[in-house]
Amino acid sequence: MFRKKEKLQSYINQVWRLFKVALVMMLVLAVVLGKRYLEADAKTTMSEQELDSSLLSLSEVYLPGTIYDKKDNVLMFGSEPGKLSWMSDKKSNSLERLIGGTDYIKAVETGNVRMTILGMAPELLGESDSRMDEKSLFHPNQRRIGGNVKLTIDADLQNFIEDLLIENGYMDSSVMVSNFQTGEVEAAVCLGGDSSETVFSRKFHPASTMKLAIAASALEYDANLANFSYTCKGNNTFTLDAEGKETVSVHCSGGNVHGTLTTMESAMAQSCNGYFIALAQQVPEEILRKNLKKFGFDDVMHFDSFKFDDNTFMGESENAYDLVYGCIGQGQASVTTIGLNMYTNAILNKGVLAEPHFILGSNDKREELMKAKTQAVTRQMCTEEVADSIKNMMVKVMREGTGRDFAVDGVEMAFKTGTGEEGDGKTQTLLVTGGILNENKPYSITVCLNHINGGSSVNAGLIAKEIVNRLVAEE
């Protein structure tokens, strides 16, 4: 009797042990699968509202990680949950705008956090952690720290440009410097205007820089238009209706009379307004607008880090007046600093736009190695042949046209100038956009000086010249 009870107890103990082992295995499996699911769920693309909500929630418990520039200089670090502090006493106002500030809650309240580093890199607040890590279910008292981010921005160059603009009195201005082959943004300066305004939101008429896109769109339609001929009378008249009853007069800058221009290249060097309006009229309007969409005008461009839809040619307008003036970057035509820089990059890069990006790498937690961010998005804005033709025209601008006054000896440069009339009829926007044609330094530079009373696009060109000198001098 005793032996039977002993065997029964042994059998019960074995079953219990097996049950406990099976239970533990099931729990482990549930945790592993659940964690993978939650990690995957945390990394899905979020809408703007979801991103705002996520950042607000995480800012209550997460100490932000550290932000480095491309040279591994520490720019900002997490000082308390949801807040960052500058590493140096000399902070960059324009860089703080680009980052989105030092307080996540205030950044979200601006309504455009997605277009800032704080929105582009939510891993700074642990957004890429699983929900188990986020809620610290197993270690509720453990301090939760976000990941680190390395920017494409060169903080020294950013500060140099900001100081250069201020020293020259350009308090309402913006500048972008980027690598047109890779899309890496080296500097993105925006001064004046609203305190949250950046290169994403600074809008202005593209003026004569619009001629780059008009010329490319015309050549995409018909390569023979490279030899289109037009006689500029200084004050040029164009019809707005089929009957020719309604007309508009467009003068060239400074009252210049360019005479007969027999090639697009010579017209670009002289920046003749009449020529490019007449050129655009050689292209059916539907095709012209379709080709301009490739450059982001009246279209949406989707990238991994952001969506862009801020370049306008005519928008919803069907007005013939807006069509005429849009061809010289006035009327309804508008661009942002980054929008102008993007189609400049495509022209300099054989017609291909490499996705503009601000982040080189990041990690999920402080102790992990930085993982390089891959940028796979490209956009073919025009053919390589057309892009090279426009680039050569920009070289001629520097050698024979409006860019001669800011050329740098020994450096091959390709730029286009522009002077836009602002809404008050008194002030102007002065522009240059282009780049350095050097395989080792493939940099594009876009300069926009707003609300200028007097001067010319050469003012913007001289700022670009200082930046070129610095870039060329760097090892």
Side-chain angles (χ1 to χ4, degrees):
M1 189 69 175
F2 178 79
R3 287 182 179 179
K4 286 183 179 181
K5 286 183 178 180
E6 190 176 38
K7 285 182 179 180
L8 179 61
Q9 186 62 46
S10 176
Y11 176 76
I12 292 172
N13 290 340
Q14 287 179 10
V15 171
W16 178 242
R17 282 195 296 271
L18 290 172
F19 175 78
K20 287 194 292 184
V21 170
L23 184 62
V24 169
M25 291 178 66
M26 289 174 65
L27 286 171
V28 170
L29 183 61
V31 168
V32 170
L33 293 177
K35 188 168 184 177
R36 286 183 180 178
Y37 167 78
L38 290 166
E39 286 174 336
D41 180 62
K43 293 177 182 177
T44 56
T45 302
M46 295 185 291
S47 68
E48 291 184 26
Q49 293 78 12
E50 289 171 331
L51 176 64
D52 289 353
S53 177
S54 176
L55 292 178
L56 287 174
S57 174
L58 293 170
S59 67
E60 296 178 0
V61 293
Y62 266 85
L63 186 75
T66 301
I67 302 176
Y68 300 85
D69 80 343
K70 67 174 295 184
K71 296 177 180 177
D72 292 319
N73 297 311
V74 175
L75 302 177
M76 302 177 84
F77 61 92
S79 52
E80 57 184 280
K83 293 187 179 181
L84 292 147
S85 292
W86 282 93
M87 187 66 182
S88 169
D89 291 335
K90 185 183 183 301
K91 70 174 184 178
S92 164
N93 291 324
S94 63
L95 189 52
E96 182 165 314
R97 286 190 187 195
L98 180 65
I99 289 172
T102 58
D103 188 316
Y104 271 88
I105 293 177
K106 289 181 179 178
V108 170
E109 288 174 348
T110 65
N112 62 349
V113 69
R114 183 174 284 275
M115 297 300 196
T116 66
I117 300 303
L118 299 186
M120 292 179 195
E123 53 264 52
L124 274 167
L125 268 190
E127 186 273 330
S128 54
D129 286 357
S130 73
R131 282 174 174 74
M132 289 185 180
D133 288 328
E134 178 186 320
K135 300 301 181 184
S136 291
L137 297 178
F138 299 119
H139 305 284
N141 296 320
Q142 180 175 295
R143 195 180 200 189
R144 279 158 280 182
I145 302 173
N148 301 324
V149 170
K150 183 175 182 177
L151 305 182
T152 61
I153 297 292
D154 179 341
D156 292 334
L157 179 62
Q158 179 91 7
N159 290 331
F160 169 78
I161 295 171
E162 184 174 333
D163 291 343
L164 178 65
L165 292 170
I166 293 171
E167 288 167 7
N168 283 275
Y170 300 128
M171 306 308 293
D172 280 288
S173 55
S174 57
V175 174
M176 268 195 72
V177 179
S178 59
N179 184 314
F180 58 78
Q181 292 180 350
T182 65
E184 293 174 7
V185 178
E186 299 272 334
V189 177
C190 188
L191 302 178
D194 185 270
S195 61
S196 64
E197 197 173 18
T198 69
V199 294
F200 284 98
S201 53
R202 174 62 58 86
K203 269 198 168 188
F204 46 88
H205 290 305
S208 288
T209 62
M210 184 75 196
K211 293 167 185 172
L212 300 174
I214 293 293
S217 298
L219 290 176
E220 287 275 279
Y221 171 69
D222 182 358
N224 292 321
L225 287 173
N227 296 313
F228 174 68
S229 180
Y230 176 78
T231 300
C232 169
K233 300 176 182 178
N235 193 26
N236 304 285
T237 302
F238 299 93
T239 59
L240 299 178
D241 60 345
E243 295 78 20
K245 295 179 180 179
E246 191 176 356
T247 62
V248 63
S249 294
V250 179
H251 62 81
C252 281
S253 180
N256 288 321
V257 179
H258 297 114
T260 299
L261 300 166
T262 58
T263 65
M264 194 185 298
E265 185 178 58
S266 60
M268 187 73 77
Q270 299 303 315
S271 199
C272 178
N273 287 341
Y275 182 97
F276 283 94
I277 295 171
L279 174 68
Q281 291 181 340
Q282 309 308 304
V283 184
E285 181 182 341
E286 181 182 352
I287 294 176
L288 177 68
R289 296 178 74 160
K290 179 181 178 182
N291 287 346
L292 287 172
K293 281 191 173 186
K294 297 176 185 177
F295 286 87
F297 287 95
D298 299 328
D299 197 20
V300 180
M301 293 189 283
H302 294 277
F303 301 107
D304 286 343
S305 300
F306 62 93
K307 178 184 77 171
F308 182 84
D309 60 358
D310 290 321
N311 279 0
T312 303
F313 175 54
M314 290 178 65
E316 299 299 320
S317 174
E318 298 294 336
N319 191 312
Y321 176 94
D322 289 331
L323 176 61
V324 167
Y325 274 92
C327 294
I328 55 172
Q330 295 287 154
Q332 297 297 317
S334 66
V335 293
T336 59
T337 315
I338 191 172
L340 178 54
N341 187 254
M342 281 195 285
Y343 68 77
T344 301
N345 284 357
I347 290 169
L348 298 177
N349 192 40
K350 302 178 180 180
V352 177
L353 171 67
E355 175 183 356
H357 56 283
F358 297 80
I359 299 171
L360 280 176
S362 64
N363 60 15
D364 294 344
K365 296 183 179 62
R366 285 179 183 263
E367 64 270 22
E368 292 181 359
L369 294 174
M370 286 274 190
K371 295 178 182 177
K373 285 227 171 187
T374 56
Q375 307 294 333
V377 178
T378 59
R379 182 182 176 105
Q380 188 80 42
M381 288 189 161
C382 62
T383 65
E384 181 176 345
E385 294 75 17
V386 166
D388 285 346
S389 294
I390 304 300
K391 180 176 68 177
N392 291 335
M393 294 179 200
M394 295 166 73
V395 171
K396 190 164 184 176
V397 168
M398 298 303 299
R399 293 175 180 170
E400 303 176 16
T402 54
R404 286 175 296 179
D405 291 333
F406 58 91
V408 176
D409 291 340
V411 180
E412 187 169 26
M413 297 161 63
F415 276 82
K416 180 70 188 84
T417 60
T419 302
E421 296 178 6
E422 296 183 340
D424 60 6
K426 299 177 182 179
T427 56
Q428 299 172 316
T429 298
L430 309 180
L431 302 164
V432 293
T433 191
I436 304 170
L437 303 184
N438 183 321
E439 279 299 313
N440 297 319
K441 295 180 183 290
Y443 297 119
S444 67
I445 302 167
T446 298
V447 178
C448 168
L449 309 179
N450 296 106
H451 314 316
I452 305 298
N453 194 347
S456 71
S457 55
V458 172
N459 295 57
L462 293 174
I463 294 296
K465 181 177 182 177
E466 292 295 324
I467 298 170
V468 169
N469 282 326
R470 180 183 173 89
L471 292 170
V472 170
E474 283 189 340
E475 293 298 329

